[in-house]
Amino acid sequence: ETGVTQTPRHLVMGMTNKKSLKCEQHLGHNAMYWYKQSAKKPLELMFVYSLEERVENNSVPSRFSPECPNSSHLFLHLHTLQPEDSALYLCASSPAQGEQYFGPGTRLTVT
Amino acid sequence: DQQVKQNSPSLSVQEGRISILNCDYTNSMFDYFLWYKKYPAEGPTFLISISSIKDKNEDGRFTVFLNKSAKHLSLHIVPSQPGDSAVYFCAASMNAGGTSYGKLTFGQGTILTVHP
């Protein structure tokens, strides 16, 4: 399988649940990203990992916890989310510089 | 404070005509610009990019123009096709930052509809 994959594609969770989003890239890139896309808003960068080290955390609440066990995998652990966290969560990867390649996203609904 | 803005939420064009999508930025440190296209239920896909040392980059039906003095870039699609109907995002980065990754700042997107 090639490109950037994300699972699950859709997720409905209650505010007290714990769930994880998974991203996998098969492009040999060394940087991976989590974005949030809410309705009618620009993509918001959440986290950046470069060479498995977190290098950016854009004031994201602690109920979102990223994990990058290796250069091909990226997780976003979710805990006690709020309804306003409902959004499309996109993972991307890139070489050191240049364009980012996106996964299809996970549509998250918090009830 | 939105550093990259796409002021037209939507654009409707007839098939075969030119589509022009616009993007403005405020941060003069941006030196690399990209356009992405997004279909429903898919992630954004890279279309075309331009470095600040150029003012034009062309790839088939897609041309990106950069006007640094006006802090403005545009994407021209000619001729437009119904399959081009999608959301188009412009993005900007500061590649000269010397980091080992590229941080992109996105606009809010423009919905392009190409009518047959």
Side-chain angles (χ1 to χ4, degrees), chain A residues 9 30-31 33 35 37 40-43 45 48-51 55-56 58 88 90 94-105 107, chain B residues 2 4 32 34 36 38 40-46 49 87 89 93-109:
Chain A
R9 294 294 308 275
N30 55 17
Y33 311 76
Y35 287 88
Q37 186 180 22
K40 298 183 182 179
K41 284 189 173 181
L43 274 73
L45 181 64
V48 181
Y49 275 81
S50 176
L51 299 171
V55 293
E56 290 271 345
N58 279 0
L88 180 69
L90 289 159
S94 76
Q97 301 285 346
E99 61 269 20
Q100 293 176 16
Y101 293 78
F102 285 83
R107 174 68 63 186
Chain B
Q2 207 169 325
V4 179
Y32 187 62
L34 308 90
Y36 282 83
K38 185 180 183 302
E42 294 183 13
T45 55
F46 169 73
S49 63
V87 181
F89 294 95
S93 75
M94 289 178 266
N95 272 354
T99 62
S100 58
Y101 61 92
K103 180 178 173 181
L104 298 181
T105 302
F106 283 85
Q108 63 269 60

Side-chain angles (χ1 to χ4, degrees), chain A residues 23-61:
Chain A
C23 176
E24 190 171 353
Q25 60 102 357
H26 306 273
L27 300 167
H29 293 160
N30 55 17
M32 296 187 77
Y33 311 76
W34 279 117
Y35 287 88
K36 175 184 179 182
Q37 186 180 22
S38 304
K40 298 183 182 179
K41 284 189 173 181
L43 274 73
E44 300 171 59
L45 181 64
M46 300 174 72
F47 302 103
V48 181
Y49 275 81
S50 176
L51 299 171
E52 299 156 41
E53 179 185 343
R54 190 191 311 181
V55 293
E56 290 271 345
N57 178 345
N58 279 0
S59 304
V60 180

Side-chain angles (χ1 to χ4, degrees), chain B residues 6 21 36-37 47 75 77 84 86-90 109-110 112:
Chain B
Q6 294 174 255
L21 298 116
Y36 282 83
K37 172 180 175 180
L47 258 182
L75 175 68
I77 307 173
D84 296 328
V87 181
Y88 288 78
F89 294 95
C90 69
T110 297
L112 173 66

